[in-house]
């Protein structure tokens, strides 16, 4: 394991937290280790880790009573609630395979997902019950169900499936990435590494969807692994408005939410963040250097990294964002990496086992000897920090046969404090194929100036960037957006 991560934690805390290979062992361990410490809160009532362990055990007993064979697939359709966390812990620690459905799924997607992923039972929040009316052959249950008795965690093979996560990136149809207990737990363990003390010192808020691997692992399981308090977030807007009351010490969020918070701080002052915020961990999309600068000035440590659903979320992390604001950090423990024709390949016990019932796309992603082709073009610096140059699937092929990474052309725009987001793509201009860019301005940076000045600034910025590029790589078409980009569930700019 890299000393970069080992050295983040005080020695006594690092030695106190073991790497556990199954969810059953994980639940048993944190129940005993942090028994009297606060664990989960619905923003009104809070339960301790001992109480959490008992509630999970009662839920396991109820799930066992359904008569399903071990390894059956059980889905959860809920908001970011205490019920959803308890159910995920119960399903996986009882020896079943959990799948968290996004709360935004429409009715036919619920039906289609249950069929595609062989869902045997679905725990559903009351408000979403109408979405299940057309389900056939699936046990539909309330998210509040639990037995009066308790059931112990199952004895689980670490290589057996623990969960299936939707994944699709910014393009393509969603797939179901299967994570074994060992892979999921490696991701959970990697989430403990943060600068400074981590045990029982933080208050998290579940702002990111639990159905997204970043929200579940970095934002929730990492919290439980370190004995911290997790606040449910059933309504994003309402919860953000309660930050001064909830007083989080750490936020695990995507850059889009960082932008929102930066705007609210500008309006209401730093006290809007609650007065105790020590750290932001951001990911799932490009992190502009301006965000690092903005929050560092507020005394908030800003960390970010890189990961895929297929790598149990956490592949690399950067705890030196001020010094290296464009790097996605050092590689987490338990992994091997290599660059093949510039593409990052990863191998380790954090890798997924394949896409559910999709051997063709699994074979495209995984080599026969166990390497994951990430699809990301990368390079390392002399200190071992990783940088993304672009995505292979996004490459623009010029008329001279040369490949251009749109992400590499976008990078100088993200470095500008007046740009919120940018997307470079191939487009048509007067019948010719050209490199084009769409730019979304960060409007607060212009302080009410007329739109003409905003457009002029962005076009001058394009000219400035073009002056650094060879003629074949220059941007020939510019669109300054008045509306936000279409975005994925993790708030990435969608390229489709």
């Amino acid at each position: 394991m890299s000393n970069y991560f080992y050295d983040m934690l005080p020695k006594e805390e690092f030695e106190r937290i073991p790497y556990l290979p199954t969810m059953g062992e994980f639940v048993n361990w944190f129940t005993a280790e942090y028994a009297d410490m606060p664990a989960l809160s619905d923003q009104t009532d809070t339960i301790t880790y001992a109480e959490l362990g008992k509630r999970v055990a009662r839920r396991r007993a109820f799930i066992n009573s359904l008569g399903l064979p071990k390894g059956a697939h059980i889905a959860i359709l809920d908001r970011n609630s205490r019920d959803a966390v308890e159910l995920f812990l119960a399903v996986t620690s009882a020896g079943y395979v959990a799948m968290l459905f996004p709360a935004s799924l429409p009715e036919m997607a619920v039906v289609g997902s249950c069929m595609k992923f062989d869902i045997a039972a679905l725990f559903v929040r009351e408000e979403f019950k109408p979405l299940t009316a057309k389900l056939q052959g699936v046990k539909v249950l309330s998210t509040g169900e639990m037995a009066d008795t308790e059931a112990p965690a199952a004895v689980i093979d670490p290589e057996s499936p623990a969960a299936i996560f939707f994944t699709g990136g910014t393009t393509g149809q969603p797939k179901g990435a299967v994570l074994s207990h060992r892979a999921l737990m490696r991701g959970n363990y990697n989430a403990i590494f943060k600068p400074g003390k981590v045990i029982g010192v933080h208050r998290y808020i579940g702002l990111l969807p639990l159905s997204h691997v970043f929200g579940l692992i970095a934002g929730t399981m990492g919290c439980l692994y370190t004995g911290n308090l997790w606040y449910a977030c059933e309504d994003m807007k309402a919860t953000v408005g309660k930050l001064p009351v909830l007083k989080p010490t750490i936020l695990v969020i995507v850059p889009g939410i960082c932008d929102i918070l930066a705007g609210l701080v500008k309006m209401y002052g730093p006290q809007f963040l609650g007065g105790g915020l020590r750290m932001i961990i951001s990911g799932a999309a490009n992190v502009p250097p301006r965000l690092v600068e903005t929050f560092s000035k507020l005394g908030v440590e800003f960390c970010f990294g890189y990961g895929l659903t297929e790598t149990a979320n956490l592949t690399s992390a950067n705890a030196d964002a001020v010094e290296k604001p464009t790097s996605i950090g050092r590689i987490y423990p338990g992994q091997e990496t290599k660059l093949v024709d510039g593409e990052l390949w990863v191998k380790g016990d954090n890798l997924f086992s394949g896409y559910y019932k999709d051997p063709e796309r699994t074979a495209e992603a995984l080599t026969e000897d166990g390497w994951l082709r990430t699809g990301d073009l990368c390079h390392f610096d002399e200190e071992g920090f990783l940088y993304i140059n672009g995505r292979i699937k996004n490459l623009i092929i010029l008329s001279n046969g040369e490949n251009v990474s749109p992400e590499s052309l976008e990078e100088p725009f993200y470095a500008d404090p007046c740009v919120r987001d940018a997307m470079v793509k191939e487009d048509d201009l007067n019948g010719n194929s050209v490199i084009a860019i769409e730019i979304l301005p960060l409007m607060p940076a212009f302080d009410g100036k007329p739109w003409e000045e905003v457009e002029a600034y962005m076009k001058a910025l394009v000219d400035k960037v073009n002056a650094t590029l060879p003629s074949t790589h220059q941007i020939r078409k510019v669109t300054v957006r008045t509306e936000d980009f279409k975005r994925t569930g993790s708030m990435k700019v969608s390229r489709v």
Side-chain angles (χ1 to χ4, degrees), residues 389-416:
N389 303 327
R391 289 284 292 168
I392 290 175
K393 66 172 68 173
N394 297 337
L395 288 174
I396 298 170
I397 303 176
L398 302 176
S399 57
N400 63 2
E402 188 177 355
N403 293 336
V404 175
S405 162
E407 291 89 350
S408 66
L409 296 182
E410 291 162 4
E411 187 174 322
F413 293 92
Y414 279 108
D416 189 282

PDB file of all heavy atoms in Angstrom, residues 389-416:
ATOM      1  N   ASN A 389      -5.940  12.752 -19.832  1.00  0.00           N
ATOM      2  CA  ASN A 389      -5.809  13.509 -21.081  1.00  0.00           C
ATOM      3  C   ASN A 389      -7.096  13.497 -21.887  1.00  0.00           C
ATOM      4  O   ASN A 389      -7.309  14.376 -22.719  1.00  0.00           O
ATOM      5  CB  ASN A 389      -4.680  12.929 -21.937  1.00  0.00           C
ATOM      6  CG  ASN A 389      -3.358  12.901 -21.197  1.00  0.00           C
ATOM      7  OD1 ASN A 389      -3.083  13.767 -20.374  1.00  0.00           O
ATOM      8  ND2 ASN A 389      -2.542  11.888 -21.465  1.00  0.00           N
ATOM      9  N   GLY A 390      -7.945  12.500 -21.650  1.00  0.00           N
ATOM     10  CA  GLY A 390      -9.197  12.427 -22.397  1.00  0.00           C
ATOM     11  C   GLY A 390      -9.751  11.014 -22.422  1.00  0.00           C
ATOM     12  O   GLY A 390      -9.152  10.077 -21.893  1.00  0.00           O
ATOM     13  N   ARG A 391     -10.930  10.871 -23.045  1.00  0.00           N
ATOM     14  CA  ARG A 391     -11.575   9.574 -23.207  1.00  0.00           C
ATOM     15  C   ARG A 391     -11.360   9.095 -24.632  1.00  0.00           C
ATOM     16  O   ARG A 391     -11.532   9.851 -25.594  1.00  0.00           O
ATOM     17  CB  ARG A 391     -13.075   9.680 -22.949  1.00  0.00           C
ATOM     18  CG  ARG A 391     -13.475   9.901 -21.527  1.00  0.00           C
ATOM     19  CD  ARG A 391     -13.378   8.660 -20.684  1.00  0.00           C
ATOM     20  NE  ARG A 391     -14.357   7.641 -21.032  1.00  0.00           N
ATOM     21  CZ  ARG A 391     -14.320   6.393 -20.581  1.00  0.00           C
ATOM     22  NH1 ARG A 391     -13.319   5.995 -19.810  1.00  0.00           N
ATOM     23  NH2 ARG A 391     -15.241   5.525 -20.915  1.00  0.00           N
ATOM     24  N   ILE A 392     -11.023   7.820 -24.782  1.00  0.00           N
ATOM     25  CA  ILE A 392     -10.796   7.263 -26.117  1.00  0.00           C
ATOM     26  C   ILE A 392     -12.028   7.422 -26.987  1.00  0.00           C
ATOM     27  O   ILE A 392     -11.952   7.808 -28.160  1.00  0.00           O
ATOM     28  CB  ILE A 392     -10.382   5.785 -26.012  1.00  0.00           C
ATOM     29  CG1 ILE A 392      -8.985   5.669 -25.412  1.00  0.00           C
ATOM     30  CG2 ILE A 392     -10.434   5.098 -27.370  1.00  0.00           C
ATOM     31  CD1 ILE A 392      -8.536   4.248 -25.154  1.00  0.00           C
ATOM     32  N   LYS A 393     -13.214   7.140 -26.409  1.00  0.00           N
ATOM     33  CA  LYS A 393     -14.438   7.173 -27.208  1.00  0.00           C
ATOM     34  C   LYS A 393     -14.802   8.590 -27.665  1.00  0.00           C
ATOM     35  O   LYS A 393     -15.607   8.757 -28.581  1.00  0.00           O
ATOM     36  CB  LYS A 393     -15.606   6.572 -26.427  1.00  0.00           C
ATOM     37  CG  LYS A 393     -16.032   7.365 -25.211  1.00  0.00           C
ATOM     38  CD  LYS A 393     -17.314   6.818 -24.594  1.00  0.00           C
ATOM     39  CE  LYS A 393     -17.117   5.460 -23.989  1.00  0.00           C
ATOM     40  NZ  LYS A 393     -18.330   5.004 -23.252  1.00  0.00           N
ATOM     41  N   ASN A 394     -14.215   9.603 -27.025  1.00  0.00           N
ATOM     42  CA  ASN A 394     -14.543  10.984 -27.389  1.00  0.00           C
ATOM     43  C   ASN A 394     -13.580  11.591 -28.403  1.00  0.00           C
ATOM     44  O   ASN A 394     -13.767  12.742 -28.821  1.00  0.00           O
ATOM     45  CB  ASN A 394     -14.552  11.872 -26.139  1.00  0.00           C
ATOM     46  CG  ASN A 394     -15.617  11.474 -25.142  1.00  0.00           C
ATOM     47  OD1 ASN A 394     -16.609  10.849 -25.504  1.00  0.00           O
ATOM     48  ND2 ASN A 394     -15.420  11.817 -23.884  1.00  0.00           N
ATOM     49  N   LEU A 395     -12.519  10.859 -28.781  1.00  0.00           N
ATOM     50  CA  LEU A 395     -11.496  11.420 -29.662  1.00  0.00           C
ATOM     51  C   LEU A 395     -12.092  11.933 -30.970  1.00  0.00           C
ATOM     52  O   LEU A 395     -12.967  11.301 -31.572  1.00  0.00           O
ATOM     53  CB  LEU A 395     -10.430  10.363 -29.968  1.00  0.00           C
ATOM     54  CG  LEU A 395      -9.470   9.995 -28.830  1.00  0.00           C
ATOM     55  CD1 LEU A 395      -8.579   8.847 -29.260  1.00  0.00           C
ATOM     56  CD2 LEU A 395      -8.629  11.193 -28.427  1.00  0.00           C
ATOM     57  N   ILE A 396     -11.595  13.076 -31.391  1.00  0.00           N
ATOM     58  CA  ILE A 396     -11.960  13.658 -32.679  1.00  0.00           C
ATOM     59  C   ILE A 396     -10.847  13.321 -33.674  1.00  0.00           C
ATOM     60  O   ILE A 396      -9.671  13.567 -33.399  1.00  0.00           O
ATOM     61  CB  ILE A 396     -12.129  15.185 -32.571  1.00  0.00           C
ATOM     62  CG1 ILE A 396     -13.266  15.536 -31.590  1.00  0.00           C
ATOM     63  CG2 ILE A 396     -12.393  15.803 -33.942  1.00  0.00           C
ATOM     64  CD1 ILE A 396     -13.340  17.010 -31.252  1.00  0.00           C
ATOM     65  N   ILE A 397     -11.207  12.719 -34.801  1.00  0.00           N
ATOM     66  CA  ILE A 397     -10.217  12.355 -35.817  1.00  0.00           C
ATOM     67  C   ILE A 397     -10.181  13.449 -36.883  1.00  0.00           C
ATOM     68  O   ILE A 397     -11.171  13.699 -37.568  1.00  0.00           O
ATOM     69  CB  ILE A 397     -10.547  10.993 -36.454  1.00  0.00           C
ATOM     70  CG1 ILE A 397     -10.635   9.917 -35.361  1.00  0.00           C
ATOM     71  CG2 ILE A 397      -9.496  10.618 -37.492  1.00  0.00           C
ATOM     72  CD1 ILE A 397     -11.057   8.561 -35.865  1.00  0.00           C
ATOM     73  N   LEU A 398      -9.043  14.110 -36.974  1.00  0.00           N
ATOM     74  CA  LEU A 398      -8.883  15.210 -37.934  1.00  0.00           C
ATOM     75  C   LEU A 398      -8.744  14.682 -39.358  1.00  0.00           C
ATOM     76  O   LEU A 398      -8.498  13.491 -39.586  1.00  0.00           O
ATOM     77  CB  LEU A 398      -7.656  16.040 -37.559  1.00  0.00           C
ATOM     78  CG  LEU A 398      -7.660  16.643 -36.147  1.00  0.00           C
ATOM     79  CD1 LEU A 398      -6.343  17.345 -35.886  1.00  0.00           C
ATOM     80  CD2 LEU A 398      -8.827  17.606 -35.977  1.00  0.00           C
ATOM     81  N   SER A 399      -8.867  15.583 -40.319  1.00  0.00           N
ATOM     82  CA  SER A 399      -8.770  15.196 -41.736  1.00  0.00           C
ATOM     83  C   SER A 399      -7.406  14.625 -42.081  1.00  0.00           C
ATOM     84  O   SER A 399      -7.269  13.845 -43.030  1.00  0.00           O
ATOM     85  CB  SER A 399      -9.072  16.403 -42.630  1.00  0.00           C
ATOM     86  OG  SER A 399      -8.182  17.466 -42.334  1.00  0.00           O
ATOM     87  N   ASN A 400      -6.370  15.003 -41.309  1.00  0.00           N
ATOM     88  CA  ASN A 400      -5.022  14.472 -41.565  1.00  0.00           C
ATOM     89  C   ASN A 400      -4.776  13.153 -40.830  1.00  0.00           C
ATOM     90  O   ASN A 400      -3.659  12.628 -40.821  1.00  0.00           O
ATOM     91  CB  ASN A 400      -3.958  15.493 -41.162  1.00  0.00           C
ATOM     92  CG  ASN A 400      -3.970  15.823 -39.672  1.00  0.00           C
ATOM     93  OD1 ASN A 400      -4.757  15.255 -38.918  1.00  0.00           O
ATOM     94  ND2 ASN A 400      -3.102  16.733 -39.258  1.00  0.00           N
ATOM     95  N   GLY A 401      -5.840  12.613 -40.177  1.00  0.00           N
ATOM     96  CA  GLY A 401      -5.729  11.342 -39.483  1.00  0.00           C
ATOM     97  C   GLY A 401      -5.287  11.457 -38.035  1.00  0.00           C
ATOM     98  O   GLY A 401      -5.271  10.461 -37.310  1.00  0.00           O
ATOM     99  N   GLU A 402      -4.948  12.657 -37.578  1.00  0.00           N
ATOM    100  CA  GLU A 402      -4.497  12.845 -36.206  1.00  0.00           C
ATOM    101  C   GLU A 402      -5.684  12.839 -35.240  1.00  0.00           C
ATOM    102  O   GLU A 402      -6.779  13.312 -35.569  1.00  0.00           O
ATOM    103  CB  GLU A 402      -3.737  14.171 -36.097  1.00  0.00           C
ATOM    104  CG  GLU A 402      -3.056  14.395 -34.763  1.00  0.00           C
ATOM    105  CD  GLU A 402      -2.259  15.685 -34.732  1.00  0.00           C
ATOM    106  OE1 GLU A 402      -2.151  16.360 -35.779  1.00  0.00           O
ATOM    107  OE2 GLU A 402      -1.762  16.020 -33.643  1.00  0.00           O
ATOM    108  N   ASN A 403      -5.454  12.294 -34.047  1.00  0.00           N
ATOM    109  CA  ASN A 403      -6.498  12.265 -33.025  1.00  0.00           C
ATOM    110  C   ASN A 403      -6.358  13.452 -32.079  1.00  0.00           C
ATOM    111  O   ASN A 403      -5.253  13.786 -31.656  1.00  0.00           O
ATOM    112  CB  ASN A 403      -6.403  10.981 -32.202  1.00  0.00           C
ATOM    113  CG  ASN A 403      -6.733   9.752 -33.024  1.00  0.00           C
ATOM    114  OD1 ASN A 403      -7.440   9.835 -34.025  1.00  0.00           O
ATOM    115  ND2 ASN A 403      -6.225   8.610 -32.609  1.00  0.00           N
ATOM    116  N   VAL A 404      -7.497  14.053 -31.735  1.00  0.00           N
ATOM    117  CA  VAL A 404      -7.512  15.167 -30.793  1.00  0.00           C
ATOM    118  C   VAL A 404      -8.457  14.820 -29.653  1.00  0.00           C
ATOM    119  O   VAL A 404      -9.598  14.420 -29.880  1.00  0.00           O
ATOM    120  CB  VAL A 404      -7.970  16.480 -31.464  1.00  0.00           C
ATOM    121  CG1 VAL A 404      -8.084  17.593 -30.431  1.00  0.00           C
ATOM    122  CG2 VAL A 404      -7.018  16.883 -32.557  1.00  0.00           C
ATOM    123  N   SER A 405      -7.985  14.981 -28.433  1.00  0.00           N
ATOM    124  CA  SER A 405      -8.827  14.747 -27.263  1.00  0.00           C
ATOM    125  C   SER A 405      -9.606  16.021 -26.947  1.00  0.00           C
ATOM    126  O   SER A 405      -9.006  17.063 -26.667  1.00  0.00           O
ATOM    127  CB  SER A 405      -7.954  14.366 -26.065  1.00  0.00           C
ATOM    128  OG  SER A 405      -8.671  14.539 -24.861  1.00  0.00           O
ATOM    129  N   PRO A 406     -10.943  15.964 -26.975  1.00  0.00           N
ATOM    130  CA  PRO A 406     -11.709  17.170 -26.625  1.00  0.00           C
ATOM    131  C   PRO A 406     -11.442  17.637 -25.198  1.00  0.00           C
ATOM    132  O   PRO A 406     -11.432  18.831 -24.917  1.00  0.00           O
ATOM    133  CB  PRO A 406     -13.166  16.742 -26.817  1.00  0.00           C
ATOM    134  CG  PRO A 406     -13.157  15.268 -26.843  1.00  0.00           C
ATOM    135  CD  PRO A 406     -11.822  14.847 -27.345  1.00  0.00           C
ATOM    136  N   GLU A 407     -11.199  16.676 -24.280  1.00  0.00           N
ATOM    137  CA  GLU A 407     -10.942  17.045 -22.894  1.00  0.00           C
ATOM    138  C   GLU A 407      -9.672  17.885 -22.756  1.00  0.00           C
ATOM    139  O   GLU A 407      -9.610  18.796 -21.919  1.00  0.00           O
ATOM    140  CB  GLU A 407     -10.830  15.787 -22.021  1.00  0.00           C
ATOM    141  CG  GLU A 407     -12.137  15.040 -21.842  1.00  0.00           C
ATOM    142  CD  GLU A 407     -12.382  13.998 -22.936  1.00  0.00           C
ATOM    143  OE1 GLU A 407     -11.633  13.984 -23.935  1.00  0.00           O
ATOM    144  OE2 GLU A 407     -13.323  13.210 -22.791  1.00  0.00           O
ATOM    145  N   SER A 408      -8.660  17.585 -23.581  1.00  0.00           N
ATOM    146  CA  SER A 408      -7.417  18.360 -23.495  1.00  0.00           C
ATOM    147  C   SER A 408      -7.644  19.787 -23.978  1.00  0.00           C
ATOM    148  O   SER A 408      -7.008  20.731 -23.488  1.00  0.00           O
ATOM    149  CB  SER A 408      -6.311  17.686 -24.316  1.00  0.00           C
ATOM    150  OG  SER A 408      -6.624  17.704 -25.705  1.00  0.00           O
ATOM    151  N   LEU A 409      -8.559  19.957 -24.926  1.00  0.00           N
ATOM    152  CA  LEU A 409      -8.881  21.310 -25.392  1.00  0.00           C
ATOM    153  C   LEU A 409      -9.764  22.040 -24.395  1.00  0.00           C
ATOM    154  O   LEU A 409      -9.736  23.274 -24.307  1.00  0.00           O
ATOM    155  CB  LEU A 409      -9.570  21.242 -26.764  1.00  0.00           C
ATOM    156  CG  LEU A 409      -8.739  20.686 -27.928  1.00  0.00           C
ATOM    157  CD1 LEU A 409      -9.555  20.730 -29.220  1.00  0.00           C
ATOM    158  CD2 LEU A 409      -7.445  21.474 -28.107  1.00  0.00           C
ATOM    159  N   GLU A 410     -10.548  21.304 -23.632  1.00  0.00           N
ATOM    160  CA  GLU A 410     -11.434  21.923 -22.631  1.00  0.00           C
ATOM    161  C   GLU A 410     -10.662  22.406 -21.401  1.00  0.00           C
ATOM    162  O   GLU A 410     -11.098  23.346 -20.726  1.00  0.00           O
ATOM    163  CB  GLU A 410     -12.503  20.910 -22.193  1.00  0.00           C
ATOM    164  CG  GLU A 410     -13.520  20.586 -23.267  1.00  0.00           C
ATOM    165  CD  GLU A 410     -14.282  19.302 -22.984  1.00  0.00           C
ATOM    166  OE1 GLU A 410     -14.068  18.700 -21.915  1.00  0.00           O
ATOM    167  OE2 GLU A 410     -15.080  18.906 -23.842  1.00  0.00           O
ATOM    168  N   GLU A 411      -9.526  21.776 -21.122  1.00  0.00           N
ATOM    169  CA  GLU A 411      -8.805  22.048 -19.871  1.00  0.00           C
ATOM    170  C   GLU A 411      -8.497  23.521 -19.636  1.00  0.00           C
ATOM    171  O   GLU A 411      -8.745  24.040 -18.534  1.00  0.00           O
ATOM    172  CB  GLU A 411      -7.514  21.218 -19.833  1.00  0.00           C
ATOM    173  CG  GLU A 411      -6.795  21.305 -18.506  1.00  0.00           C
ATOM    174  CD  GLU A 411      -5.600  20.365 -18.439  1.00  0.00           C
ATOM    175  OE1 GLU A 411      -5.690  19.243 -18.973  1.00  0.00           O
ATOM    176  OE2 GLU A 411      -4.579  20.760 -17.853  1.00  0.00           O
ATOM    177  N   PRO A 412      -7.975  24.278 -20.617  1.00  0.00           N
ATOM    178  CA  PRO A 412      -7.697  25.695 -20.333  1.00  0.00           C
ATOM    179  C   PRO A 412      -8.956  26.526 -20.080  1.00  0.00           C
ATOM    180  O   PRO A 412      -8.889  27.549 -19.407  1.00  0.00           O
ATOM    181  CB  PRO A 412      -6.960  26.174 -21.586  1.00  0.00           C
ATOM    182  CG  PRO A 412      -7.268  25.185 -22.643  1.00  0.00           C
ATOM    183  CD  PRO A 412      -7.475  23.882 -21.952  1.00  0.00           C
ATOM    184  N   PHE A 413     -10.094  26.049 -20.572  1.00  0.00           N
ATOM    185  CA  PHE A 413     -11.340  26.776 -20.305  1.00  0.00           C
ATOM    186  C   PHE A 413     -11.781  26.549 -18.866  1.00  0.00           C
ATOM    187  O   PHE A 413     -12.262  27.474 -18.190  1.00  0.00           O
ATOM    188  CB  PHE A 413     -12.421  26.353 -21.304  1.00  0.00           C
ATOM    189  CG  PHE A 413     -12.121  26.779 -22.716  1.00  0.00           C
ATOM    190  CD1 PHE A 413     -11.447  25.929 -23.586  1.00  0.00           C
ATOM    191  CD2 PHE A 413     -12.460  28.046 -23.150  1.00  0.00           C
ATOM    192  CE1 PHE A 413     -11.141  26.323 -24.874  1.00  0.00           C
ATOM    193  CE2 PHE A 413     -12.164  28.463 -24.437  1.00  0.00           C
ATOM    194  CZ  PHE A 413     -11.495  27.597 -25.296  1.00  0.00           C
ATOM    195  N   TYR A 414     -11.623  25.325 -18.367  1.00  0.00           N
ATOM    196  CA  TYR A 414     -11.963  25.055 -16.971  1.00  0.00           C
ATOM    197  C   TYR A 414     -11.048  25.805 -16.013  1.00  0.00           C
ATOM    198  O   TYR A 414     -11.407  26.065 -14.870  1.00  0.00           O
ATOM    199  CB  TYR A 414     -11.906  23.553 -16.695  1.00  0.00           C
ATOM    200  CG  TYR A 414     -13.152  22.821 -17.134  1.00  0.00           C
ATOM    201  CD1 TYR A 414     -13.153  21.981 -18.240  1.00  0.00           C
ATOM    202  CD2 TYR A 414     -14.339  22.990 -16.431  1.00  0.00           C
ATOM    203  CE1 TYR A 414     -14.306  21.320 -18.634  1.00  0.00           C
ATOM    204  CE2 TYR A 414     -15.495  22.336 -16.815  1.00  0.00           C
ATOM    205  CZ  TYR A 414     -15.476  21.497 -17.916  1.00  0.00           C
ATOM    206  OH  TYR A 414     -16.624  20.854 -18.301  1.00  0.00           O
ATOM    207  N   ALA A 415      -9.858  26.145 -16.480  1.00  0.00           N
ATOM    208  CA  ALA A 415      -8.926  26.895 -15.635  1.00  0.00           C
ATOM    209  C   ALA A 415      -9.324  28.363 -15.508  1.00  0.00           C
ATOM    210  O   ALA A 415      -8.825  29.075 -14.634  1.00  0.00           O
ATOM    211  CB  ALA A 415      -7.512  26.791 -16.199  1.00  0.00           C
ATOM    212  N   ASP A 416     -10.225  28.821 -16.384  1.00  0.00           N
ATOM    213  CA  ASP A 416     -10.648  30.223 -16.339  1.00  0.00           C
ATOM    214  C   ASP A 416     -11.753  30.396 -15.307  1.00  0.00           C
ATOM    215  O   ASP A 416     -12.741  29.648 -15.306  1.00  0.00           O
ATOM    216  CB  ASP A 416     -11.154  30.667 -17.721  1.00  0.00           C
ATOM    217  CG  ASP A 416     -11.393  32.159 -17.783  1.00  0.00           C
ATOM    218  OD1 ASP A 416     -12.433  32.612 -17.265  1.00  0.00           O
ATOM    219  OD2 ASP A 416     -10.540  32.877 -18.326  1.00  0.00           O
TER     220      ASP A 416
END
